[in-house]
Amino acid sequence: MTEIRPKNPSDEKEFDLNSVLPEQVADLDTLRELLVEVDDPEVAEKRAYHDTVKHALGESKITDGDDLWKRFKGKLLADLEEVDYNAYQRAIKEEGERLQQERTERTAKEELAQGPDLDDPEEVTGWTQVGEVVLDNYGQETLDVLEALVCNIVCLTFDNLDNAPMLFIEGPSGAGKTTIISFTESVQDELVVRVDEVSPASFHSHDPDQAEHELGQQDLLPIIKNRVMSVREMSKLFAGNPDTIREFWSKLANVSDGEGDYRASGTQGLQSYEGDYMFAFQGGTTRLPPVAWNEMGKIGGRVLFHKFIGEYDTSVAKEQFFKDETAPKARKEECKEITGEFLRTIWTVETDGYGSVDMRDRFWPIDDDVQRALTLFAKFTSLARAPMNQDQVGNWQRPDPEALWRPLSQYTRMAAARALIHGRDEVIMDDVELVARLALSTVPAKRRPYVRWLLDPNTADSSTDGLGEGEAWLNDVVSYVPDNRETARNHLKLLDRIDLLRFDDIGENNNTKWRVRKEPSGDYPWSPDGRMDTIWELGVPRPERYFE
């Protein structure tokens, strides 16, 4: 028998049940010493109802072959003067039911932690079939967003991922972001784990008030291992003061390398998840405030965004809503069903599931122009989403440049995932069109009109007097963006500071004359002639809706 109490059983103040585990009291002799052989009946009653004792007896009640509770009830319970016999039986019954529920949930979590195991599709389904259903029910913009979400999920089939695939859909409230995200949740629990509330502690808790046997039972990290965490409404994670935002994104950065997590405290010691804990992350959010972009940028750009506007054209909205007798919920369910069948096809037919595809073996070599386009968009994103601050007199401070490796890795695997879902082993320029949409979306909202102007080949017409190729006056930009002249000048100064373009005053005699040049001052070639808006000449399809 394990010695768990002081040698003198009457020295009741010295013994602390909080310091032992249920299994340390799970034998009849120990329980007799704790409960029957003490001098004070009230102490015996208090100990009998202590969580540790109830846990040991409740565990016995629900465990086959363990007769501790039966023997305790027959030999000891009646000797406890201050303990009501029938009430105590009810208390242990309730404890057993609680532990059985925990055991059931723990078993489910352990099965989840073994990695996704999807059922075979009822019918092998291709992306063309998905497209037909979604276009018939919703339209092209919805299909574009769903394509990006599916590609983010499919990235989990690639081996040797160096960071978690993360994609957020950004759009106005009520536009339909949640509806599209729900299409992918048709494989919920198999592959996609829906989470409505998430905090820094959700991934790996370390509550000092938890007993040792309770640690980790509510942790999110083992549940989302090799799966997709789906948070339909992300706005709360981008709200609050900078410290609150930073805390979440710092934790996310820590676990997004897929190598687990290690936490230590004075009360619980070192608790760790070791090994492969890679996951993907998808979510929806309204437009982010600048502080959120800055805080995300400080821990490195790890998230891609895809803009979703929704349908605001009255005639189109009317046609989509009234075109047939199918109710909105039925249309949604039809899209969920076809998306689920497609994901099962990818996971069980086209690949062998998580980490089964050697991306470099399957898709390499990539065409030189495709490589160049991917690299240019990666460079563009690394600059366009850079966190920026102004000094005391309002001048933009030059940021530390983001390493090109992460956005290049993100864009290359998304392009490869698109090739995979379209049934190809070759990454082509059509796949880079998805990257273009992501690049135009993964920019702080207030900068987007200016980067659209920069990437639009129909702006900066050299026919204007006094201007060369790829140059424009400040007023030309103001007519393109939704801001006044002063706001536009401030944003153009920012883009000049991060080397996306050049913005300078060429006026004379104290007369300002602001000129914008699309060719940046950096020492890197953007595209065939050094300007970002000529990237389309490489053959990248231009997402026209983004320039409307």
Side-chain angles (χ1 to χ4, degrees):
M1 181 181 66
T2 304
E3 185 69 28
I4 63 169
R5 62 171 185 82
K7 291 182 179 180
N8 183 358
S10 64
D11 192 359
E12 295 149 358
K13 292 183 179 179
E14 185 178 331
F15 183 72
D16 182 12
L17 268 173
N18 293 319
S19 66
V20 299
L21 299 174
E23 54 262 33
Q24 292 179 275
V25 300
D27 67 78
L28 204 62
D29 290 339
T30 300
L31 290 171
R32 180 181 289 109
E33 292 181 89
L34 283 174
L35 306 177
V36 179
E37 297 179 3
V38 294
D39 296 331
D40 188 342
E42 292 184 358
V43 171
E45 179 191 24
K46 184 177 180 180
R47 288 181 174 180
Y49 279 97
H50 191 281
D51 287 345
T52 300
V53 173
K54 287 200 306 177
H55 186 113
L57 294 173
E59 190 74 36
S60 168
K61 185 174 177 62
I62 64 172
T63 302
D64 292 338
D66 188 338
D67 62 352
L68 175 63
W69 165 243
K70 183 178 180 181
R71 290 187 295 130
F72 175 86
K73 184 172 63 170
K75 296 182 178 182
L76 300 183
L77 182 54
D79 295 335
L80 302 178
E81 299 176 12
E82 298 294 325
V83 176
D84 182 278
Y85 189 89
N86 292 324
Y88 196 71
Q89 288 194 80
R90 289 194 297 272
I92 298 304
K93 178 184 178 182
E94 291 173 359
E95 178 69 5
E97 291 172 348
R98 184 188 69 80
L99 292 171
Q100 183 62 59
Q101 179 65 25
E102 284 188 359
R103 183 182 290 183
T104 301
E105 293 175 355
R106 187 162 56 248
T107 299
K109 290 177 181 178
E110 288 171 354
E111 291 175 354
L112 280 172
Q114 295 174 2
D117 183 19
L118 274 68
D119 294 334
D120 292 336
E122 293 184 7
E123 180 179 346
V124 173
T125 303
W127 185 253
T128 300
Q129 294 165 273
V130 177
E132 291 172 352
V133 172
V134 175
L135 285 173
D136 184 55
N137 284 291
Y138 289 95
Q140 185 62 51
E141 188 182 16
T142 297
L143 181 60
D144 286 346
V145 173
L146 180 62
E147 180 185 66
L149 287 168
V150 168
C151 286
N152 189 63
I153 294 172
V154 167
C155 286
L156 284 178
T157 66
F158 297 150
D159 67 347
N160 297 317
L161 291 177
D162 54 359
N163 52 77
M166 292 190 276
L167 176 68
F168 297 159
I169 308 306
E170 184 192 288
S173 178
K177 304 182 295 296
T178 297
T179 296
I180 307 174
I181 291 170
S182 74
F183 296 168
T184 68
E185 293 172 352
S186 51
V187 285
Q188 190 167 318
D189 297 332
E190 294 177 273
L191 178 60
V192 178
V193 179
R194 178 179 168 181
V195 181
D196 290 333
E197 295 284 344
V198 63
S199 69
S202 300
F203 296 99
H204 185 184
S205 60
H206 213 255
D207 188 345
D209 295 327
Q210 280 186 314
E212 183 176 347
H213 65 277
E214 296 174 329
L215 283 173
Q217 291 186 9
Q218 304 300 321
D219 288 355
L220 185 58
L221 197 56
I223 297 175
I224 62 174
K225 174 184 177 182
N226 306 156
R227 289 177 168 80
V228 185
M229 179 170 67
S230 183
V231 182
R232 293 181 173 187
E233 181 49 66
M234 297 283 299
S235 298
K236 290 182 180 179
L237 301 179
F238 298 107
N241 61 58
D243 290 340
T244 302
I245 299 171
R246 188 181 308 119
E247 181 185 9
F248 177 80
W249 291 103
S250 295
K251 184 61 183 179
L252 184 61
N254 191 54
V255 299
S256 66
D257 62 4
E259 297 178 358
D261 190 49
Y262 297 76
R263 295 195 67 180
S265 71
T267 55
Q268 301 289 11
L270 178 64
Q271 303 289 332
S272 66
Y273 288 106
E274 302 178 55
D276 177 11
Y277 280 87
M278 184 59 69
F279 63 93
F281 190 0
Q282 67 180 25
T285 182
T286 51
R287 194 170 85 166
L288 305 189
V291 64
W293 282 99
N294 268 5
E295 294 306 322
M296 283 194 301
K298 289 176 183 177
I299 54 97
R302 299 170 188 270
V303 181
L304 297 177
F305 287 80
H306 194 295
K307 185 176 67 171
F308 180 61
I309 300 172
E311 188 52 66
Y312 287 92
D313 185 289
T314 304
S315 60
V316 175
K318 178 176 71 67
E319 180 184 357
Q320 288 183 353
F321 188 85
F322 293 107
K323 68 178 180 179
D324 56 40
E325 297 179 355
T326 305
K329 185 175 181 179
R331 291 192 284 132
K332 176 180 174 179
E333 291 302 317
E334 184 181 7
C335 292
K336 285 183 68 172
E337 181 178 354
I338 195 75
T339 303
E341 285 293 274
F342 177 74
L343 287 171
R344 291 186 181 94
T345 299
I346 289 291
W347 234 255
T348 65
V349 179
E350 298 299 331
T351 74
D352 291 325
Y354 174 76
S356 64
V357 177
D358 186 331
M359 191 172 76
R360 289 181 175 264
D361 178 66
R362 180 161 182 170
F363 297 104
W364 259 243
I366 293 178
D367 175 78
D368 285 347
D369 280 345
V370 173
Q371 289 185 42
R372 190 173 185 183
L374 289 170
T375 305
L376 290 172
F377 278 122
K379 180 68 175 180
F380 168 79
T381 296
S382 71
L383 298 174
R385 67 181 176 189
M388 293 292 289
N389 291 291
Q390 290 174 293
D391 60 22
Q392 293 181 344
V393 295
N395 294 320
W396 290 107
Q397 298 174 308
R398 187 177 296 277
D400 293 329
E402 176 186 350
L404 191 59
W405 183 263
R406 182 177 288 126
L408 183 56
S409 174
Q410 290 171 319
Y411 285 156
T412 302
R413 70 190 182 202
M414 286 292 280
R418 188 184 183 280
L420 193 156
I421 72 172
H422 284 271
R424 287 183 275 101
D425 292 336
E426 178 187 10
V427 178
I428 62 176
M429 283 298 184
D430 284 350
D431 304 317
V432 184
E433 190 270 345
L434 167 61
V435 172
R437 284 186 265 133
L438 297 172
L440 283 161
S441 303
T442 309
V443 180
K446 291 186 176 181
R447 301 180 197 175
R448 286 180 195 158
Y450 300 90
V451 299
R452 283 204 309 270
W453 178 87
L454 177 66
L455 289 169
D456 191 338
N458 299 316
T459 57
D461 187 350
S462 62
S463 62
T464 304
D465 290 342
L467 294 175
E469 189 72 28
E471 296 181 351
W473 300 120
L474 172 58
N475 285 341
D476 298 326
V477 180
V478 171
S479 66
Y480 188 94
V481 300
D483 295 326
N484 60 42
R485 181 181 173 89
E486 186 59 32
T487 302
R489 185 171 65 176
N490 191 45
H491 280 98
L492 290 169
K493 286 181 177 180
L494 182 153
L495 297 186
D496 176 89
R497 195 63 174 162
I498 58 179
D499 277 344
L500 273 175
L501 49 74
R502 281 186 282 185
F503 183 55
D504 47 20
D505 179 8
I506 60 171
E508 298 177 353
N509 299 324
N510 295 321
N511 294 318
T512 58
K513 194 173 185 179
W514 292 99
R515 177 182 61 182
V516 190
R517 288 183 285 177
K518 288 192 173 186
E519 183 178 352
S521 58
D523 58 356
Y524 45 84
W526 271 117
S527 50
D529 62 359
R531 283 170 37 207
M532 190 62 196
D533 62 346
T534 57
I535 191 173
W536 316 111
E537 295 176 10
L538 292 172
V540 181
R542 193 160 66 104
E544 297 298 337
R545 186 176 176 88
Y546 281 69
F547 293 94
E548 293 176 356

